PDB file of all heavy atoms in Angstrom:
ATOM      1  N   LEU A 143       9.044  41.554 -19.314  1.00 92.00           N
ATOM      2  CA  LEU A 143      10.359  41.241 -18.760  1.00 92.00           C
ATOM      3  C   LEU A 143      10.717  39.835 -19.201  1.00 92.00           C
ATOM      4  O   LEU A 143       9.849  39.073 -19.623  1.00 92.00           O
ATOM      5  CB  LEU A 143      10.306  41.281 -17.229  1.00 92.00           C
ATOM      6  CG  LEU A 143       9.976  42.622 -16.554  1.00 92.00           C
ATOM      7  CD1 LEU A 143       9.661  42.411 -15.094  1.00 92.00           C
ATOM      8  CD2 LEU A 143      11.128  43.602 -16.721  1.00 92.00           C
ATOM      9  N   SER A 144      11.974  39.493 -19.036  1.00 91.00           N
ATOM     10  CA  SER A 144      12.347  38.138 -19.426  1.00 91.00           C
ATOM     11  C   SER A 144      11.888  37.153 -18.344  1.00 91.00           C
ATOM     12  O   SER A 144      11.787  37.511 -17.164  1.00 91.00           O
ATOM     13  CB  SER A 144      13.861  38.075 -19.649  1.00 91.00           C
ATOM     14  OG  SER A 144      14.446  37.267 -18.679  1.00 91.00           O
ATOM     15  N   PRO A 145      11.596  35.901 -18.731  1.00 92.00           N
ATOM     16  CA  PRO A 145      11.111  34.927 -17.745  1.00 92.00           C
ATOM     17  C   PRO A 145      12.058  34.766 -16.555  1.00 92.00           C
ATOM     18  O   PRO A 145      11.631  34.381 -15.470  1.00 92.00           O
ATOM     19  CB  PRO A 145      11.024  33.628 -18.560  1.00 92.00           C
ATOM     20  CG  PRO A 145      10.820  34.079 -19.967  1.00 92.00           C
ATOM     21  CD  PRO A 145      11.586  35.353 -20.107  1.00 92.00           C
ATOM     22  N   SER A 146      13.333  35.102 -16.730  1.00 88.00           N
ATOM     23  CA  SER A 146      14.279  34.951 -15.618  1.00 88.00           C
ATOM     24  C   SER A 146      13.972  35.928 -14.483  1.00 88.00           C
ATOM     25  O   SER A 146      14.544  35.831 -13.401  1.00 88.00           O
ATOM     26  CB  SER A 146      15.710  35.153 -16.117  1.00 88.00           C
ATOM     27  OG  SER A 146      15.836  36.480 -16.565  1.00 88.00           O
ATOM     28  N   TYR A 147      13.049  36.871 -14.729  1.00 89.00           N
ATOM     29  CA  TYR A 147      12.686  37.846 -13.693  1.00 89.00           C
ATOM     30  C   TYR A 147      11.745  37.289 -12.631  1.00 89.00           C
ATOM     31  O   TYR A 147      11.479  37.926 -11.627  1.00 89.00           O
ATOM     32  CB  TYR A 147      12.047  39.090 -14.341  1.00 89.00           C
ATOM     33  CG  TYR A 147      13.004  40.242 -14.403  1.00 89.00           C
ATOM     34  CD1 TYR A 147      14.032  40.250 -15.331  1.00 89.00           C
ATOM     35  CD2 TYR A 147      12.909  41.309 -13.520  1.00 89.00           C
ATOM     36  CE1 TYR A 147      14.939  41.289 -15.381  1.00 89.00           C
ATOM     37  CE2 TYR A 147      13.817  42.350 -13.559  1.00 89.00           C
ATOM     38  CZ  TYR A 147      14.822  42.333 -14.486  1.00 89.00           C
ATOM     39  OH  TYR A 147      15.718  43.353 -14.531  1.00 89.00           O
ATOM     40  N   ILE A 148      11.238  36.088 -12.866  1.00 90.00           N
ATOM     41  CA  ILE A 148      10.195  35.548 -11.995  1.00 90.00           C
ATOM     42  C   ILE A 148      10.605  35.546 -10.513  1.00 90.00           C
ATOM     43  O   ILE A 148       9.817  35.926  -9.644  1.00 90.00           O
ATOM     44  CB  ILE A 148       9.740  34.141 -12.476  1.00 90.00           C
ATOM     45  CG1 ILE A 148       8.534  33.640 -11.693  1.00 90.00           C
ATOM     46  CG2 ILE A 148      10.831  33.122 -12.445  1.00 90.00           C
ATOM     47  CD1 ILE A 148       7.246  34.102 -12.239  1.00 90.00           C
ATOM     48  N   SER A 149      11.860  35.142 -10.220  1.00 91.00           N
ATOM     49  CA  SER A 149      12.234  35.074  -8.803  1.00 91.00           C
ATOM     50  C   SER A 149      12.355  36.471  -8.208  1.00 91.00           C
ATOM     51  O   SER A 149      12.119  36.677  -7.017  1.00 91.00           O
ATOM     52  CB  SER A 149      13.519  34.276  -8.607  1.00 91.00           C
ATOM     53  OG  SER A 149      14.495  34.736  -9.496  1.00 91.00           O
ATOM     54  N   ARG A 150      12.675  37.442  -9.057  1.00 94.00           N
ATOM     55  CA  ARG A 150      12.736  38.823  -8.554  1.00 94.00           C
ATOM     56  C   ARG A 150      11.338  39.306  -8.165  1.00 94.00           C
ATOM     57  O   ARG A 150      11.164  40.078  -7.226  1.00 94.00           O
ATOM     58  CB  ARG A 150      13.335  39.753  -9.602  1.00 94.00           C
ATOM     59  CG  ARG A 150      14.781  39.426  -9.961  1.00 94.00           C
ATOM     60  CD  ARG A 150      15.222  40.387 -11.052  1.00 94.00           C
ATOM     61  NE  ARG A 150      16.605  40.242 -11.457  1.00 94.00           N
ATOM     62  CZ  ARG A 150      17.026  39.515 -12.495  1.00 94.00           C
ATOM     63  NH1 ARG A 150      16.162  38.804 -13.182  1.00 94.00           N
ATOM     64  NH2 ARG A 150      18.293  39.484 -12.838  1.00 94.00           N
ATOM     65  N   ILE A 151      10.323  38.838  -8.907  1.00 96.00           N
ATOM     66  CA  ILE A 151       8.943  39.255  -8.585  1.00 96.00           C
ATOM     67  C   ILE A 151       8.553  38.724  -7.203  1.00 96.00           C
ATOM     68  O   ILE A 151       7.923  39.424  -6.408  1.00 96.00           O
ATOM     69  CB  ILE A 151       7.961  38.791  -9.694  1.00 96.00           C
ATOM     70  CG1 ILE A 151       8.274  39.544 -10.990  1.00 96.00           C
ATOM     71  CG2 ILE A 151       6.504  39.018  -9.267  1.00 96.00           C
ATOM     72  CD1 ILE A 151       7.388  39.192 -12.174  1.00 96.00           C
ATOM     73  N   THR A 152       8.957  37.490  -6.899  1.00 95.00           N
ATOM     74  CA  THR A 152       8.649  36.936  -5.566  1.00 95.00           C
ATOM     75  C   THR A 152       9.354  37.751  -4.481  1.00 95.00           C
ATOM     76  O   THR A 152       8.747  38.111  -3.465  1.00 95.00           O
ATOM     77  CB  THR A 152       9.105  35.460  -5.486  1.00 95.00           C
ATOM     78  OG1 THR A 152       8.437  34.726  -6.498  1.00 95.00           O
ATOM     79  CG2 THR A 152       8.782  34.850  -4.140  1.00 95.00           C
ATOM     80  N   LEU A 153      10.620  38.062  -4.689  1.00 95.00           N
ATOM     81  CA  LEU A 153      11.360  38.814  -3.664  1.00 95.00           C
ATOM     82  C   LEU A 153      10.752  40.204  -3.471  1.00 95.00           C
ATOM     83  O   LEU A 153      10.618  40.701  -2.356  1.00 95.00           O
ATOM     84  CB  LEU A 153      12.840  38.943  -4.038  1.00 95.00           C
ATOM     85  CG  LEU A 153      13.663  37.653  -4.169  1.00 95.00           C
ATOM     86  CD1 LEU A 153      15.144  37.961  -4.273  1.00 95.00           C
ATOM     87  CD2 LEU A 153      13.444  36.710  -3.010  1.00 95.00           C
ATOM     88  N   MET A 154      10.370  40.813  -4.586  1.00 97.00           N
ATOM     89  CA  MET A 154       9.782  42.153  -4.516  1.00 97.00           C
ATOM     90  C   MET A 154       8.433  42.133  -3.785  1.00 97.00           C
ATOM     91  O   MET A 154       8.109  43.027  -3.013  1.00 97.00           O
ATOM     92  CB  MET A 154       9.641  42.618  -5.970  1.00 97.00           C
ATOM     93  CG  MET A 154       8.774  43.739  -6.274  1.00 97.00           C
ATOM     94  SD  MET A 154       7.591  43.260  -7.572  1.00 97.00           S
ATOM     95  CE  MET A 154       6.106  43.620  -6.718  1.00 97.00           C
ATOM     96  N   THR A 155       7.681  41.047  -3.989  1.00 98.00           N
ATOM     97  CA  THR A 155       6.389  40.926  -3.299  1.00 98.00           C
ATOM     98  C   THR A 155       6.612  40.794  -1.787  1.00 98.00           C
ATOM     99  O   THR A 155       5.867  41.360  -0.984  1.00 98.00           O
ATOM    100  CB  THR A 155       5.613  39.696  -3.835  1.00 98.00           C
ATOM    101  OG1 THR A 155       5.483  39.833  -5.245  1.00 98.00           O
ATOM    102  CG2 THR A 155       4.240  39.579  -3.199  1.00 98.00           C
ATOM    103  N   ALA A 156       7.653  40.063  -1.425  1.00 98.00           N
ATOM    104  CA  ALA A 156       7.942  39.905   0.007  1.00 98.00           C
ATOM    105  C   ALA A 156       8.287  41.253   0.640  1.00 98.00           C
ATOM    106  O   ALA A 156       7.828  41.559   1.751  1.00 98.00           O
ATOM    107  CB  ALA A 156       9.090  38.915   0.193  1.00 98.00           C
ATOM    108  N   VAL A 157       9.048  42.069  -0.075  1.00 98.00           N
ATOM    109  CA  VAL A 157       9.389  43.399   0.467  1.00 98.00           C
ATOM    110  C   VAL A 157       8.109  44.227   0.638  1.00 98.00           C
ATOM    111  O   VAL A 157       7.899  44.866   1.677  1.00 98.00           O
ATOM    112  CB  VAL A 157      10.407  44.129  -0.452  1.00 98.00           C
ATOM    113  CG1 VAL A 157      10.618  45.566   0.014  1.00 98.00           C
ATOM    114  CG2 VAL A 157      11.737  43.387  -0.476  1.00 98.00           C
ATOM    115  N   ALA A 158       7.230  44.178  -0.369  1.00 98.00           N
ATOM    116  CA  ALA A 158       5.972  44.938  -0.280  1.00 98.00           C
ATOM    117  C   ALA A 158       5.145  44.465   0.916  1.00 98.00           C
ATOM    118  O   ALA A 158       4.542  45.270   1.630  1.00 98.00           O
ATOM    119  CB  ALA A 158       5.174  44.783  -1.582  1.00 98.00           C
ATOM    120  N   ALA A 159       5.143  43.151   1.159  1.00 98.00           N
ATOM    121  CA  ALA A 159       4.342  42.617   2.278  1.00 98.00           C
ATOM    122  C   ALA A 159       4.926  43.033   3.628  1.00 98.00           C
ATOM    123  O   ALA A 159       4.192  43.447   4.530  1.00 98.00           O
ATOM    124  CB  ALA A 159       4.268  41.088   2.171  1.00 98.00           C
ATOM    125  N   VAL A 160       6.249  42.956   3.748  1.00 98.00           N
ATOM    126  CA  VAL A 160       6.891  43.368   5.012  1.00 98.00           C
ATOM    127  C   VAL A 160       6.585  44.846   5.291  1.00 98.00           C
ATOM    128  O   VAL A 160       6.275  45.229   6.425  1.00 98.00           O
ATOM    129  CB  VAL A 160       8.425  43.128   4.950  1.00 98.00           C
ATOM    130  CG1 VAL A 160       9.146  43.831   6.085  1.00 98.00           C
ATOM    131  CG2 VAL A 160       8.718  41.640   4.985  1.00 98.00           C
TER     132      VAL A 160
END
Side-chain angles (χ1 to χ4, degrees):
L143 297 167
S144 113
S146 64
Y147 257 75
I148 187 86
S149 49
R150 297 178 177 95
I151 293 180
T152 301
L153 298 191
M154 164 233 123
T155 304
V157 173
V160 167

